[in-house]
Amino acid sequence: ASMQRAKIASKLPASVVLATSVFADDHEAVPDGFLRLPDLERSTTTEYPSLTPQKNLPFVDDVFSNLKRAAASQDKLMEPFDYVIYTNADIIVRNDFYDVVSIAIQQGYDAFTINRQTIAKGINSSGEDEERESFRPFTANDLEIIYKSEGEIHPGSDCFVMKRAIFDKIEMGNVFLGYPPFGKLLLSQ
């Protein structure tokens, strides 16, 4: 919801294309307004069945390859693009996010990362951020409360902006999302 909201709030909303590639079982989790790229077919469950705990985590290269194929497609699934912003699905962006990214691009940056802040996991009945058991998890309806929350700086990287020419050269092999060293490996490319 925050990405759609930031797109609408952007000074150039037509230049922002929200795209996603998910497992077939996750279609219902994709909000309206996202270009649906081909489904992901491989996961840590299919490729590493003895890995514990068993989680159905996608491979970064599969996500990126789906976008590269869609961009090269003769079907013209999407308009040409100059930059890619990769953001993990659990990241909430502020309304001015795409405008801030645009300013950084105009300043000549070819690639950069935007670090996130960690906020409380939900809200208690009095409307305060809460970390304890007696809270209701945040939803898309709580964006205003989330935006007002004071977060703690997170040491990892979950949002990457890169020029298309850089994106096209990235190969991540069998690195999967959800655990380090994903961010460090992507930054090193």
Side-chain angles (χ1 to χ4, degrees):
S2 71
M3 291 178 203
Q4 295 131 303
R5 196 167 144 169
K7 176 181 175 171
I8 291 166
S10 173
K11 293 176 183 152
L12 300 168
S15 67
V16 177
V17 175
L18 302 173
T20 186
S21 190
V22 299
F23 297 112
D25 294 349
D26 294 332
H27 283 190
E28 70 282 350
V30 177
D32 291 337
F34 276 75
L35 173 65
R36 180 122 354 135
L37 299 174
D39 288 342
L40 299 170
E41 297 175 4
R42 296 183 326 135
S43 74
T44 51
T45 305
T46 62
E47 303 304 303
Y48 304 114
S50 60
L51 187 67
T52 56
Q54 275 289 305
K55 289 187 177 184
N56 203 32
L57 300 172
F59 291 92
V60 181
D61 213 49
D62 294 352
V63 174
F64 287 4
S65 292
N66 281 347
L67 178 57
K68 290 173 186 177
R69 280 194 297 275
S73 166
Q74 298 302 319
D75 302 346
K76 291 297 173 204
L77 291 173
M78 60 191 321
E79 296 294 320
F81 55 90
D82 297 321
Y83 279 80
V84 171
I85 302 172
Y86 173 80
T87 308
N88 287 347
D90 63 340
I91 299 302
I92 297 169
V93 300
R94 296 192 175 274
N95 288 342
D96 63 349
F97 176 77
Y98 297 111
D99 293 333
V100 170
V101 167
S102 178
I103 290 167
I105 290 169
Q106 291 170 17
Q107 291 175 345
Y109 291 98
D110 291 340
F112 54 96
T113 183
I114 300 171
N115 288 357
R116 70 177 175 94
Q117 292 183 330
T118 301
I119 61 166
K121 296 181 189 297
I123 190 166
N124 66 21
S125 59
S126 67
E128 298 173 6
D129 291 354
E130 186 64 54
E131 288 285 353
R132 287 181 246 122
E133 302 270 336
S134 62
F135 73 90
R136 172 185 61 78
F138 284 128
T139 69
N141 296 326
D142 297 315
L143 285 177
E144 291 305 321
I145 296 167
I146 293 167
Y147 291 149
K148 292 176 186 172
S149 297
E150 286 191 35
E152 296 177 16
I153 300 298
H154 183 268
S157 298
D158 298 298
C159 179
F160 304 86
V161 181
M162 64 204 92
K163 204 171 220 175
R164 168 82 184 269
I166 294 170
F167 174 74
D168 285 341
K169 295 177 184 175
I170 291 175
E171 293 185 23
M172 296 293 288
N174 282 337
V175 174
F176 51 88
L177 294 166
Y179 288 98
F182 154 69
K184 288 182 181 176
L185 286 173
L186 185 54
L187 284 172
S188 72
Q189 300 251 344

